[in-house]
Amino acid sequence: MLVQQILNGVALGFIYILVAVGLTMVYGVLKLLHFAHGVIYMVGAFAAMIAITDLHLPFAVAILFAMVVAALAGMAVERVAYRPLRSGHPIATLISGVGVAIFLENLFQVIFTSDPQPFPETGVNVSVIHLTESITFTNVKLYIILAGLVGLGLLYAFLKFTRMGIAIQAAAQDMRAASLMGVNVNRVVSVTFMVGSALAAAAGVLVAWNFNSLFPTMGAIPGLKAFCVVVLGGLGSIPGTIAGGLILGIVESLSDGFMTGMVIDKDAIAFVILILILLVRPSGLFGRHVEKV
């Protein structure tokens, strides 16, 4: 039972990682809490549904289509909601992000209604893998873990070996200095939103497929938990985001498996663990402690 719940938690953790890594990148570059990120997760799921039902695309191509749509949506959000306010007060950009999220959720409710909809048939049969007599694992969860590993590998290669990836790292260290050295900061920010939104869309599609359900507010809770993952791992730290996502996913899965019937919800237990860790390490697991002057 313990191994079963840990495996389930790892799959859940990779969902949180795919969503949270975009938030980490945005915060690393802009020092901005991107509250509209959860709604991009939802946009990706609906884009995949449209690709399968209306465009008749194969499932793998539909995921890529959803990632492209979400990437464009993320860039549009940055261009419309954040860039004009970049030099203003941080609260203004935060409120702008919340406003965009509310607007897009209501727009999708008008278009698709607020009722949960089944995810369309993908042509990929859901099967159960028996690791032992008592430990099982669905192929969907295996695909989630593989998607997370591939996404993180591609992200590492992009940041490490491409000029744009190096420019993103430079802007994350000091945006003003990077701008003085000739880095096109606006392009760097747009690409950061693009990459983060594409990864969040992949997570949204896989979750909608796994639970056979999608609805306009489906990104609210994953978006909130992604913020918790970012804070738990350390703001701006991608390794911290990976560790935080796995910890939150495993803790949530263990609480769901071993604390059923309790008054406290599994989400509440996960947040209690988050608070306890932050009490010991306020800067997060991989965050840097800055001394006050």
Side-chain angles (χ1 to χ4, degrees):
M1 186 67 176
L2 176 63
V3 176
Q4 178 73 71
Q5 294 302 325
I6 290 176
L7 287 174
N8 294 337
V10 170
L12 181 60
F14 272 103
I15 290 295
Y16 293 153
I17 291 168
L18 286 174
V19 181
V21 73
L23 292 176
T24 299
M25 293 176 63
V26 169
Y27 183 85
V29 173
L30 286 178
K31 303 299 180 288
L32 166 71
L33 295 177
H34 177 26
F35 272 94
H37 195 61
V39 79
I40 300 298
Y41 165 99
M42 175 271 295
V43 169
F46 275 94
M49 181 191 74
I50 293 172
I52 295 172
T53 57
D54 297 334
L55 303 180
H56 307 291
L57 297 178
F59 183 49
V61 181
I63 294 178
L64 296 177
F65 176 81
M67 293 175 70
V68 171
V69 171
L72 295 175
M75 293 172 67
V77 169
E78 185 277 327
R79 184 66 181 86
V80 174
Y82 292 138
R83 189 177 299 183
L85 303 174
R86 192 180 298 170
S87 59
H89 197 280
I91 294 297
T93 56
L94 187 149
I95 293 174
S96 181
V98 173
V100 168
I102 294 174
F103 169 76
L104 288 177
E105 283 184 356
N106 282 272
L107 177 63
F108 273 69
Q109 287 179 15
V110 170
I111 298 174
F112 298 101
T113 76
S114 58
D115 298 327
Q117 302 184 37
F119 196 76
E121 290 292 332
T122 62
V124 180
N125 295 324
V126 178
S127 60
V128 178
I129 303 170
H130 292 272
L131 301 179
T132 65
E133 291 184 0
S134 59
I135 300 175
T136 60
F137 206 62
T138 64
N139 59 337
V140 178
K141 292 180 179 178
L142 179 61
Y143 296 150
I144 289 173
I145 294 175
L146 291 176
L149 292 173
V150 170
L152 290 174
L154 292 175
L155 178 62
Y156 174 81
F158 170 72
L159 294 175
K160 193 75 174 178
F161 302 113
T162 66
R163 294 186 62 182
M164 180 55 68
I166 295 172
I168 290 175
Q169 294 183 67
Q173 291 183 9
D174 192 324
M175 180 178 288
R176 181 175 176 81
S179 177
L180 293 174
M181 294 298 293
V183 174
N184 189 330
V185 172
N186 287 333
R187 182 179 300 173
V188 165
V189 173
S190 292
V191 172
T192 301
F193 273 82
M194 179 187 73
V195 173
S197 299
L199 293 174
V205 175
L206 292 171
V207 168
W209 180 37
N210 184 40
F211 292 101
N212 192 31
S213 176
L214 67 165
F215 46 94
T217 58
M218 64 180 287
I221 297 300
L224 178 61
K225 289 184 177 180
F227 277 108
C228 294
V229 168
V230 172
V231 174
L232 176 61
L235 290 170
S237 171
I238 292 179
T241 298
I242 297 171
L246 290 175
I247 290 173
L248 192 63
I250 292 173
V251 167
E252 186 173 320
S253 181
L254 289 175
S255 62
D256 189 31
F258 292 100
M259 297 184 181
T260 54
M262 293 185 62
V263 177
I264 301 177
D265 185 72
K266 64 177 183 179
D267 295 333
I269 294 173
F271 288 119
V272 168
I273 298 297
L274 169 67
I275 293 171
L276 292 176
I277 293 177
L278 291 179
L279 287 174
V280 179
R281 288 189 58 85
S283 58
L285 296 176
F286 288 72
R288 291 177 297 178
H289 178 69
V290 179
E291 296 288 345
K292 292 184 178 180
V293 180

